[in-house]
Amino acid sequence: MPQLRIALAQVNTTVGDLEGNAELTVEWTRKAAEAGAHIVVFPEMSLTGYPVEDLSLRPTFASASKQMVEALAKRLEDAGCGEVLTYIGYLDLDETGPRDAAAALYRGEVVARQFKHHLPNYGVFDEHRWFKPGQELEIVRFHGVDVGMVICEDVWQDGGPISALGKAGVDLVVAPNASPYERAKDDIRLPLIARRAAEAGAPLVYTNQIGGQDDLVFDGDSIVVGADGRLLARAPQFVEHLLVVDTDLVAGGHTAEGEFEGLRVKRRVLSEDAVPAYTPSTESAISEPLSDEAEVWHALVVGLRDYVHKNGFSSVTFGFSGGIDSAVVAALAADALGGDNVYGVSMPSEYSSEHSKGDAEDLARRIGAHYRVEPIADMVKVYVEQLQLTGLAEENIQARVRGMLLMALSNQDGHLVLATGNKTELAVGYSTIYGDAVGAFAPIKDLFKTHVWHLAKWRNKEAEKNGETPPIPENSITKPPSAELRPGQLDSDSLPDYLMLDDILDDYIEGDRGYVDLVDAGFEPETIDRVVRMVDKAEYKRRQYPPGTKITFKAFGRDRRLPMTNGWREGTVVTRSAQRDLLPG
Amino acid sequence: MPQLRIALAQVNTTVGDLEGNAELTVEWTRKAAEAGAHIVVFPEMSLTGYPVEDLSLRPTFASASKQMVEALAKRLEDAGCGEVLTYIGYLDLDETGPRDAAAALYRGEVVARQFKHHLPNYGVFDEHRWFKPGQELEIVRFHGVDVGMVICEDVWQDGGPISALGKAGVDLVVAPNASPYERAKDDIRLPLIARRAAEAGAPLVYTNQIGGQDDLVFDGDSIVVGADGRLLARAPQFVEHLLVVDTDLVAGGHTAEGEFEGLRVKRRVLSEDAVPAYTPSTESAISEPLSDEAEVWHALVVGLRDYVHKNGFSSVTFGFSGGIDSAVVAALAADALGGDNVYGVSMPSEYSSEHSKGDAEDLARRIGAHYRVEPIADMVKVYVEQLQLTGLAEENIQARVRGMLLMALSNQDGHLVLATGNKTELAVGYSTIYGDAVGAFAPIKDLFKTHVWHLAKWRNKEAEKNGETPPIPENSITKPPSAELRPGQLDSDSLPDYLMLDDILDDYIEGDRGYVDLVDAGFEPETIDRVVRMVDKAEYKRRQYPPGTKITFKAFGRDRRLPMTNGWREGTVVTRSAQRDLLPG
């Protein structure tokens, strides 16, 4: 039984940064070599980052990516890592079109390259737009072991590459992945990988990337399973990690080439001799997945940190209102960047309560943030008097003055502006476009209001467990939420109770259920009608006046992309005149 | 040779408005019946509108669409149109998934239904996300003539349905389309349709929709060609139109069923008897395509009008600066909505020149727009003094105060806000996010600055030809452009000459050419470097802080969708530190 020590490089790449990602590859391959690994497997498109979106369509980028693969093979050899069989991902381009590709590098050369076969085109994926599917599988014999590869979705779909490798015969399968985090995805990942290993009849090495990329976040959770589906190694979530595992493999001596399952199988021999026997490590390489709350919190922290850092910023600014949303965003930002990189701004109006200002100051003190107070009364007054604003126009101008104030501070001091809106608010349109929606990144846009409260309590409890100051003022958690845009205003004046509202929204948005299904689920028809109308109206408004952040709810739920001009209403009556209740702002 | 009178209903539908579109279908089928037509062909997905985007994924919507098809068949019969074979498009859903479908309605029943086979997934199309491909072709024999159908992309791609129909045998092919306008697309449409008719061995009836839908616009240009490729009829562009044409057809008596080109062909006989002989119309039904300039102007007018009206608005407001961009937007808005529905706002600052205010007032007078003056000095002063703003922060706050002022007026008076930025400005980032980028719709975002000038002169000349007042003040065309955000500022302080700039942008953005290609094209390396850096930086900024309109340049050029967090630079050096020059605002 030939032995092989395999390393999984669970790294955090940056899309488009070929040079930086190449450096990262050399650095982590060196670590793998130092750990005595014979093979190292990087994530999908590790050289370009993932997803490259329409960068895949730029010939100059594809050409730079291809050249970098050749150069990287040489650089790895020069760095003394030439003997490690290194699997990386990159963007290829041939006469058929752009390809999501993986390559094996060895002794300064590209010894195998393969294109992804199954191209996902749902949810957050648009791969039929970005790539053409591959039809070939390249198996290399390395120290007597036949190693096949599949790329990401090739593992997630029935049939195709895995099945073809199983029929042609392999001793080991490596699978570079870029599989975005979704709530509880770790629960389905392991059984799936185990099933695929059984189909391939060989151990499977699944390397996933970590880190934030735009509004996606990747959790890692890289896994190695045996041919029998047994878990051999599992990396921790949300951190860069070199997972090293010793395997006892079968040298199957497979030779079949040609067509399997419609795919062409090719083979190449690198070396027949097994590695000299060595004593495998007895240490467990199996990390426990995080709890549900910790997982979400880490996803939000990592997504925020990488958005800020990968865009070349180090600090953030946003409004500290004293409410729960800005408090949770502040706690996340402090965890992500350090309190010293958080610049809170209290922007009280004549309607702001005393407790709001006190809670905002308390928050800043708890997380060690910078804090300043900039009253908006003088700015608002000029607009209101000059334009004679009343009602909604007067409410909105307050939120907009705050948005512009933050952008001015951002221009002046170089901080990135964060938007503090939650998913419930955004879904029902309880938010002002160009007002509180202003910001480059909205850390809690994927959390319903009830989740915000839940996580706030969880985070405070964690702090208490560790003997630290709970970051979120108790008062921000317990007081009734208010936008404070008119005297005595409460969210409950305009919205149903949040528990019920989030329940309906979860069914309507996440569950894609319709009016009739919601009635069947026991909600009151009047409430459904009210909520559905709010959501549809908000959807249009957001698309008409796209707010200061992507609002597609990508990271943790379904991505709804809907036309802006759109007469469809989920409610009972669909008429042209139903559009008339649409007003901007 | 059996005769048939065929009507093409080139209509303007609204996405999602099933009831409105059904009404439209009844109304236009009645017109076709009154014109003596035996067959009427509507555009692709005429019942749901096109594109429905992710509405295709909502089961409740698909189910409503399917029910509406059945109901529509009945309604047509009740309206006395049961004898007209009516081809409509709709959204279907079966166990495989959502379908881009067409149906033939006759005597109160659905007598044929077929799903689109070729699903485009490039440029503005994401159909692999929205639909599953169809594998069946349904041919009906109607008055002895075998009528096949294909849907949109099925005509545009080689092989597949057209080829299968040609081999199985048909006497006539109808092709419901939703083919978005692109500059000069009419020049390629006719030769393509002629070639497909030859492949099918039968006359081809191509019905395209007209009208604006979000940032797409459809030009109509519906066409009928003979089996020999000869043009028989062509509808005018950008207007709803019933195109009626008499055809002499061959009754081929085809009977072949089963598999052709991997598609299953089915047949159904509705009626064998030819229609009684009648005297065909001798009137020419061939409209001339518009000139290049007229075509673009109409596209902009129709796109703007439909965006405003289909979203339930009747009036628009935006800044009248005295410059060329707002003047052209005003002329477009007046052509689209009438001058009386245009509310111009002059928002002078201390840096605004006298001629700017004069030209703005002159513009309002020429197009009959409402006009008001709202100085921004008092608002700007509060921000600048309270926050001690200088430099870029001070320039940006002026643009942002204007944006918020327009939104306040929109809230107060119910007008839709337009953004007046052109493609050159947006491409190089010479624009303030949340400032002049504020607005629901940006009518000239797809015109380079040089195009704006060209169209302005063309529009004025057209007015002179018709003895009308030229809408655009001569001074706005001739004076050197300036943002007027600091004393004596000119665009040429910050940007290369517009002629050269637009030339480079056209190569870089539209042509997808890289740095080396641009050098080869003879541009100076320093200028290329400068422009490319501006474009890339602007691309990031727009994605970090999405402005008040979709900026994907969809309608008239390539749609670039790029990741926000992205280390790729087209220039010579690609390093991590290259991201550091990125600042918000």
Side-chain angles (χ1 to χ4, degrees):
Chain A
M1 304 262 281
Q3 290 176 294
L4 278 181
R5 182 168 288 176
I6 301 168
L8 293 77
Q10 176 173 296
V11 293
N12 186 352
T13 59
T14 297
V15 161
D17 187 4
L18 295 175
E19 176 56 34
N21 296 334
E23 264 305 305
L24 198 72
T25 311
V26 173
E27 183 191 322
W28 285 73
T29 305
R30 195 185 283 125
K31 283 187 203 175
E34 284 163 8
H38 306 103
I39 298 182
V40 60
V41 182
F42 283 84
E44 182 179 12
M45 295 191 80
S46 53
L47 193 54
T48 54
Y50 183 93
V52 294
E53 300 190 31
D54 281 8
L55 276 177
S56 73
L57 307 178
R58 271 197 93 75
T60 49
F61 182 63
S63 147
S65 164
K66 285 171 75 171
Q67 285 169 28
M68 189 62 95
V69 174
E70 308 289 337
L72 180 59
K74 298 271 178 298
R75 277 162 76 164
L76 286 170
E77 193 176 35
D78 293 345
C81 306
E83 294 301 315
V84 182
L85 181 62
T86 304
Y87 281 90
I88 60 145
Y90 73 105
L91 174 69
D92 205 316
L93 175 71
D94 60 14
E95 60 289 347
T96 305
R99 312 284 199 152
D100 182 332
L105 313 181
Y106 183 59
R107 295 187 176 172
E109 276 181 46
V110 179
V111 294
R113 68 177 84 222
Q114 182 174 316
F115 305 147
K116 189 176 190 173
H117 176 68
H118 285 302
L119 300 176
N121 206 86
Y122 53 83
V124 301
F125 305 107
D126 285 308
E127 293 200 357
H128 275 284
R129 175 181 180 89
W130 303 329
F131 309 115
K132 297 291 171 194
Q135 307 293 346
E136 296 195 352
L137 301 174
E138 300 224 344
I139 300 170
V140 297
R141 181 167 299 170
F142 181 62
H143 291 300
V145 174
D146 291 317
V147 187
M149 60 175 145
V150 297
I151 304 174
C152 199
E153 191 79 0
D154 293 340
V155 172
W156 292 83
Q157 296 292 323
D158 284 326
I162 285 279
S163 173
L165 289 178
K167 289 183 182 165
V170 283
D171 303 322
L172 178 69
V173 178
V174 301
N177 262 257
S179 173
Y181 169 69
E182 286 170 25
R183 206 169 275 172
K185 197 173 192 176
D186 52 347
D187 299 340
I188 57 165
R189 204 175 262 147
L190 178 57
L192 175 92
I193 304 294
R195 203 163 72 239
R196 297 304 178 209
E199 272 177 54
L204 201 153
V205 175
Y206 163 98
T207 306
N208 191 20
Q209 70 181 30
I210 74 123
Q213 172 62 37
D214 294 356
D215 49 1
L216 296 183
V217 62
F218 298 84
D219 62 331
D221 192 28
S222 298
I223 285 173
V224 182
V225 293
D228 57 359
R230 195 165 52 92
L231 179 64
L232 302 179
R234 185 167 205 168
Q237 290 172 280
F238 298 110
V239 288
E240 289 196 306
H241 185 78
L242 189 77
L243 182 65
V244 180
V245 60
D246 283 310
T247 52
D248 267 332
L249 299 163
V250 177
H254 309 282
T255 53
E257 292 194 297
E259 195 161 313
F260 294 85
E261 303 267 311
L263 299 163
R264 284 180 301 283
V265 172
K266 291 184 180 178
R267 293 178 184 272
R268 174 169 181 177
V269 175
L270 299 179
S271 54
E272 293 283 6
D273 297 339
V275 300
Y278 66 90
T279 313
S281 163
T282 53
E283 227 174 294
S284 166
I286 300 180
S287 299
E288 276 300 306
L290 297 168
S291 75
D292 284 354
E293 286 90 351
E295 200 180 82
V296 171
W297 190 266
H298 275 83
L300 297 172
V301 166
V302 168
L304 171 56
R305 180 193 297 142
D306 278 351
Y307 193 88
V308 172
H309 286 168
K310 289 183 180 180
N311 279 307
F313 288 82
S314 55
S315 55
V316 294
T317 189
F318 52 98
F320 278 27
S321 74
I324 184 68
D325 295 324
S326 59
V328 167
V329 169
L332 287 166
D335 283 359
L337 311 166
D340 197 41
N341 286 309
V342 179
Y343 290 78
V345 188
S346 166
M347 297 175 284
S349 74
E350 56 175 315
Y351 306 128
S352 298
S353 57
E354 275 312 310
H355 64 75
S356 289
K357 297 177 229 174
D359 293 340
E361 208 180 329
D362 184 19
L363 169 67
R365 210 169 27 232
R366 285 167 180 266
I367 63 169
H370 303 268
Y371 182 69
R372 70 194 278 179
V373 180
E374 294 291 348
I376 59 168
D378 293 348
M379 298 148 184
V380 171
K381 189 162 173 258
V382 188
Y383 283 101
V384 170
E385 290 186 354
Q386 183 171 326
L387 303 175
Q388 314 258 301
L389 302 180
T390 55
L392 184 69
E394 188 187 355
E395 286 188 34
N396 280 337
I397 200 68
Q398 296 170 62
R400 290 186 175 131
V401 159
R402 291 190 174 113
M404 297 311 105
L405 199 156
L406 290 172
M407 288 305 289
L409 294 179
S410 168
N411 277 169
Q412 194 90 332
D413 303 329
H415 315 305
L416 196 77
V417 177
L418 299 183
T420 59
N422 63 63
K423 182 166 179 164
T424 306
E425 265 176 25
L426 291 171
V428 299
Y430 198 66
S431 162
T432 301
I433 290 162
Y434 307 132
D436 51 298
V438 159
F441 193 80
I444 59 169
K445 76 174 169 57
D446 292 302
L447 295 181
F448 285 125
K449 187 79 173 186
T450 44
H451 295 159
V452 177
W453 275 310
H454 182 73
L455 276 183
K457 290 178 201 157
W458 173 85
R459 180 66 186 79
N460 272 2
K461 212 165 277 170
E462 287 293 296
E464 276 164 20
K465 270 195 226 162
N466 302 327
E468 296 160 3
T469 311
I472 299 154
E474 192 57 28
N475 203 24
S476 297
I477 300 177
T478 51
K479 69 184 171 187
S482 163
E484 297 194 333
L485 294 173
R486 56 173 192 263
Q489 185 180 32
L490 289 179
D491 289 10
S492 52
D493 301 342
S494 312
L495 302 176
D497 171 74
Y498 276 116
L499 258 181
M500 185 205 282
L501 178 56
D502 286 353
D503 206 3
I504 296 179
L505 291 176
D506 191 51
D507 275 5
Y508 183 53
I509 297 176
E510 304 296 309
D512 245 340
R513 298 202 178 84
Y515 184 84
V516 176
D517 308 316
L518 292 167
V519 173
D520 288 349
F523 296 110
E524 279 199 359
E526 298 74 42
T527 312
I528 303 168
D529 203 53
R530 187 173 160 212
V531 173
V532 160
R533 274 172 189 279
M534 282 193 291
V535 171
D536 287 352
K537 188 169 161 181
E539 185 89 53
Y540 296 118
K541 278 208 238 168
R542 270 202 308 273
R543 307 223 20 146
Q544 284 169 4
Y545 293 92
T549 184
K550 290 175 94 173
I551 41 68
T552 45
F553 305 143
K554 269 190 183 178
F556 307 110
R558 292 178 65 96
D559 174 15
R560 293 179 100 204
R561 295 194 212 163
L562 298 176
M564 288 180 285
T565 304
N566 179 334
W568 172 244
R569 288 292 181 281
E570 192 64 45
T572 39
V573 189
V574 182
T575 64
R576 289 187 175 205
S577 63
Q579 294 182 10
R580 301 264 158 212
D581 65 347
L582 185 68
L583 276 177
Chain B
M1 304 262 284
Q3 291 177 294
L4 277 182
R5 181 167 289 177
I6 300 168
L8 292 77
Q10 176 173 297
V11 293
N12 187 352
T13 58
T14 298
V15 162
D17 187 4
L18 295 174
E19 176 56 35
N21 297 332
E23 263 305 304
L24 198 73
T25 311
V26 173
E27 183 191 321
W28 284 73
T29 305
R30 194 184 284 124
K31 285 187 201 175
E34 284 163 9
H38 306 103
I39 298 181
V40 60
V41 182
F42 284 84
E44 183 180 11
M45 295 192 79
S46 53
L47 192 55
T48 54
Y50 183 93
V52 294
E53 301 191 31
D54 281 10
L55 275 177
S56 73
L57 307 178
R58 270 198 93 75
T60 48
F61 182 63
S63 147
S65 164
K66 286 172 74 170
Q67 286 170 28
M68 189 60 96
V69 174
E70 309 288 337
L72 180 58
K74 299 270 176 301
R75 277 162 74 166
L76 286 170
E77 191 176 37
D78 293 347
C81 305
E83 294 300 315
V84 182
L85 182 62
T86 304
Y87 282 89
I88 60 146
Y90 72 105
L91 174 69
D92 205 317
L93 174 71
D94 61 13
E95 60 290 346
T96 305
R99 310 285 199 153
D100 181 332
L105 313 181
Y106 183 60
R107 295 185 177 173
E109 276 180 48
V110 179
V111 294
R113 72 176 81 220
Q114 184 174 314
F115 305 147
K116 190 176 189 173
H117 176 68
H118 285 301
L119 301 176
N121 206 84
Y122 53 84
V124 301
F125 305 107
D126 285 308
E127 294 200 358
H128 275 283
R129 177 181 178 89
W130 302 329
F131 310 116
K132 297 290 170 195
Q135 308 292 347
E136 296 197 352
L137 301 173
E138 299 224 344
I139 301 169
V140 297
R141 181 166 298 171
F142 180 62
H143 291 300
V145 174
D146 291 317
V147 187
M149 60 174 145
V150 296
I151 304 174
C152 199
E153 190 78 0
D154 292 341
V155 171
W156 291 82
Q157 295 292 322
D158 285 325
I162 285 279
S163 173
L165 289 178
K167 288 182 182 167
V170 283
D171 304 321
L172 179 68
V173 178
V174 301
N177 262 257
S179 173
Y181 168 70
E182 286 170 25
R183 206 169 276 173
K185 197 172 192 175
D186 52 347
D187 299 339
I188 57 166
R189 203 175 262 144
L190 179 57
L192 176 92
I193 305 294
R195 203 163 70 238
R196 295 304 178 211
E199 272 176 54
L204 200 153
V205 175
Y206 164 98
T207 306
N208 192 20
Q209 70 181 31
I210 74 123
Q213 171 63 36
D214 293 356
D215 49 1
L216 296 183
V217 62
F218 298 84
D219 62 330
D221 191 28
S222 298
I223 285 173
V224 182
V225 294
D228 56 0
R230 195 165 52 91
L231 180 63
L232 302 179
R234 185 168 204 166
Q237 291 173 278
F238 297 110
V239 287
E240 288 197 305
H241 185 78
L242 190 76
L243 181 66
V244 181
V245 61
D246 282 310
T247 52
D248 268 332
L249 299 163
V250 177
H254 310 281
T255 53
E257 291 193 300
E259 196 162 312
F260 293 85
E261 304 269 310
L263 299 163
R264 285 180 301 282
V265 171
K266 292 183 179 179
R267 294 179 182 273
R268 175 168 180 174
V269 175
L270 299 178
S271 53
E272 293 282 8
D273 297 338
V275 300
Y278 66 89
T279 313
S281 162
T282 54
E283 224 174 296
S284 166
I286 300 180
S287 299
E288 277 300 308
L290 297 169
S291 75
D292 284 355
E293 287 90 351
E295 199 180 83
V296 172
W297 190 266
H298 275 83
L300 297 172
V301 166
V302 167
L304 173 56
R305 181 193 295 141
D306 278 352
Y307 193 89
V308 173
H309 287 168
K310 288 183 180 179
N311 279 306
F313 288 82
S314 55
S315 56
V316 292
T317 189
F318 51 99
F320 278 25
S321 74
I324 184 68
D325 295 326
S326 59
V328 168
V329 169
L332 287 166
D335 283 359
L337 310 166
D340 197 41
N341 286 309
V342 179
Y343 289 78
V345 187
S346 166
M347 295 175 285
S349 75
E350 55 175 317
Y351 306 128
S352 299
S353 58
E354 275 313 310
H355 64 76
S356 289
K357 296 178 230 175
D359 293 340
E361 208 180 328
D362 184 19
L363 169 67
R365 211 169 25 233
R366 285 167 180 267
I367 64 169
H370 304 267
Y371 182 70
R372 71 194 276 180
V373 181
E374 294 291 349
I376 60 168
D378 293 348
M379 297 147 185
V380 171
K381 188 160 174 264
V382 188
Y383 282 102
V384 170
E385 291 185 356
Q386 183 171 327
L387 303 175
Q388 313 258 301
L389 301 180
T390 56
L392 183 69
E394 189 187 353
E395 287 189 34
N396 280 337
I397 200 69
Q398 297 169 60
R400 290 188 174 129
V401 160
R402 291 191 175 111
M404 298 311 105
L405 198 156
L406 290 172
M407 288 305 290
L409 294 178
S410 168
N411 277 170
Q412 194 91 330
D413 303 331
H415 316 304
L416 196 77
V417 177
L418 299 184
T420 59
N422 63 63
K423 182 166 180 165
T424 307
E425 265 175 23
L426 291 171
V428 299
Y430 199 66
S431 161
T432 301
I433 289 161
Y434 308 131
D436 50 297
V438 159
F441 193 80
I444 59 169
K445 76 174 169 59
D446 292 302
L447 295 181
F448 284 125
K449 187 80 174 185
T450 45
H451 295 160
V452 176
W453 276 312
H454 182 74
L455 275 183
K457 290 177 201 160
W458 172 86
R459 181 64 187 81
N460 273 2
K461 212 165 276 170
E462 287 292 297
E464 277 165 18
K465 269 195 226 162
N466 302 328
E468 295 161 3
T469 309
I472 298 154
E474 191 57 28
N475 204 25
S476 297
I477 300 177
T478 52
K479 69 184 171 188
S482 163
E484 298 194 333
L485 294 174
R486 56 172 191 261
Q489 184 180 32
L490 289 178
D491 288 10
S492 52
D493 302 342
S494 312
L495 302 177
D497 171 74
Y498 275 116
L499 258 179
M500 185 204 283
L501 178 57
D502 285 353
D503 206 3
I504 296 179
L505 291 176
D506 191 50
D507 274 5
Y508 183 53
I509 297 176
E510 303 298 307
D512 245 341
R513 296 199 180 87
Y515 184 84
V516 177
D517 309 315
L518 293 168
V519 173
D520 289 348
F523 297 108
E524 281 198 358
E526 298 74 43
T527 313
I528 302 168
D529 202 52
R530 187 173 159 210
V531 172
V532 160
R533 273 172 190 279
M534 281 194 292
V535 172
D536 287 351
K537 188 167 161 183
E539 184 89 55
Y540 297 118
K541 278 208 238 167
R542 270 202 306 273
R543 306 221 24 146
Q544 283 170 3
Y545 292 92
T549 183
K550 289 174 96 173
I551 41 68
T552 46
F553 305 144
K554 271 189 183 178
F556 306 112
R558 294 177 64 93
D559 174 15
R560 293 178 101 204
R561 295 192 212 165
L562 299 177
M564 289 180 285
T565 302
N566 179 335
W568 173 244
R569 287 294 180 280
E570 191 65 45
T572 39
V573 190
V574 182
T575 64
R576 290 189 172 200
S577 63
Q579 294 183 13
R580 300 264 161 212
D581 65 349
L582 184 69
L583 277 178

